[in-house]
Amino acid sequence: MHHFIYNALPARVVFGSGTQAQVTQELKNLGCCKALVLTTPQQVDQGHVVEDLLGDLCVGLYTRATMHTPTHITDDAVKAAQELKADCIVAVGGGSTIGLGKAIALHTDLPQIVIPTTYAGSEATPIIGQTENGVKTTQKTLKVLPEVIIYDVDLTLTLPPKMSVTSGINAIAHAVEALYSQDANPVTNLLAQEGIKSIASALPVIIQEKDTALLLKARSDALYGAWACGTCLGAVGMSLHHKLCHTLGGTFDLPHAETHTVILPHAIAYNTPFAADAIAKAALSLGVRNAAQGIYDLAKELGAPCSLKELGMKEEDLEGAADIAVRSPYSNPVPLEREKLLKLLRDAWAGTRPE
């Protein structure tokens, strides 16, 4: 018998096409009537759509959500929520907007409804990352877990192809880390493998297919995979890959999904000798023999960035990144050694295909 501990997360999930229209009923189900809608500056139009759906149940639209959840933006958003006497947060967008909603909830205990428009997966986790003074830190608390997630496949149809790839591989990273987490269990393993397979098979179709029906199915599969990947990560924990990405994003301001896409093959290669069974599960879901090479090849074939250099990382900053990464490291199948991490980062900077 395999002994394990599994904690199911309390959340309501509404999945389908056209489901965004249910936001008003979901708000009422929570007993709320004064929603503050959140977006990034780039997604204001989507915020207005939700405003219109909510009508008098919406007290305002906050549009300053920012990548890596800087604390000064959170402070401003909390103040806005309090001044408007909001009793609920409705976050519309990707990881930046979802992160801000979580940060507001952390300070105010306001319930959250999340309407994801990417494959970030953060909406399914009780994990929040915040950046202050150039350092990104994370914590895990049920205070930030959204009460309701509304997945509307229609909202992902206009997600640009390149962004779809990096967002999808970002989600795959959640599942890979869940497979070799110290809290891994049969339930999250199944979710992780399902999520990896769903997204990896959908991304080439999203990039290459012109048939509307096939595209819709691929978008649905990718969004379903994002939920599965986020859910399994939320139930277990983060390791080397996320530590490096939080370091590179929070301190060096690299773009979130793109950084995950570049780092993941190298993080897998680093851990493979020490988590062979877990990585083998990932490879099987990807349909390849070598998981690190499989992820790298998938990203490259679909036109995603494969090097930190492409993202604007300076080679002279790699030493500093390695130093930060070994401080307060996340749990990992093998200890994080500075020189080995530096080699990993140099390979990622150059875009070298993992061996």
Side-chain angles (χ1 to χ4, degrees), residues 14 62 74 83-84 122 129 135 263 272 302 334 339 354:
V14 179
Y62 187 88
T74 297
E83 289 177 349
L84 293 167
S122 174
V135 178
I263 290 295
T272 294
L302 298 181
V334 60
E339 291 309 310

Side-chain angles (χ1 to χ4, degrees), residues 223-303:
L223 193 58
Y224 163 70
W227 167 77
C229 292
T231 299
C232 64
L233 178 69
V236 288
M238 299 177 292
S239 299
L240 164 66
H241 170 82
H242 282 81
K243 179 62 179 181
L244 288 177
C245 291
H246 291 160
T247 296
L248 294 169
T251 302
F252 301 97
D253 201 32
L254 297 190
H256 183 82
E258 292 86 344
T259 302
H260 278 267
T261 299
V262 171
I263 290 295
L264 182 57
H266 303 282
I268 292 174
Y270 186 101
N271 277 332
T272 294
F274 308 93
D277 289 345
I279 301 301
K281 291 183 176 72
L284 183 63
S285 295
L286 290 166
V288 298
R289 287 188 174 184
N290 183 303
Q293 293 176 352
I295 286 289
Y296 180 93
D297 293 343
L298 179 67
K300 190 163 187 175
E301 288 167 8
L302 298 181

Side-chain angles (χ1 to χ4, degrees), residues 34-38 59-60 62 74-89 104-105 108 110:
K34 296 180 179 180
L36 175 62
V37 178
L38 308 179
V59 295
Y62 187 88
T74 297
D75 293 341
D76 185 61
V78 167
K79 181 180 178 181
Q82 292 171 337
E83 289 177 349
L84 293 167
K85 295 181 169 53
D87 63 3
C88 181
I89 299 297
I104 295 172
T108 65
L110 291 179

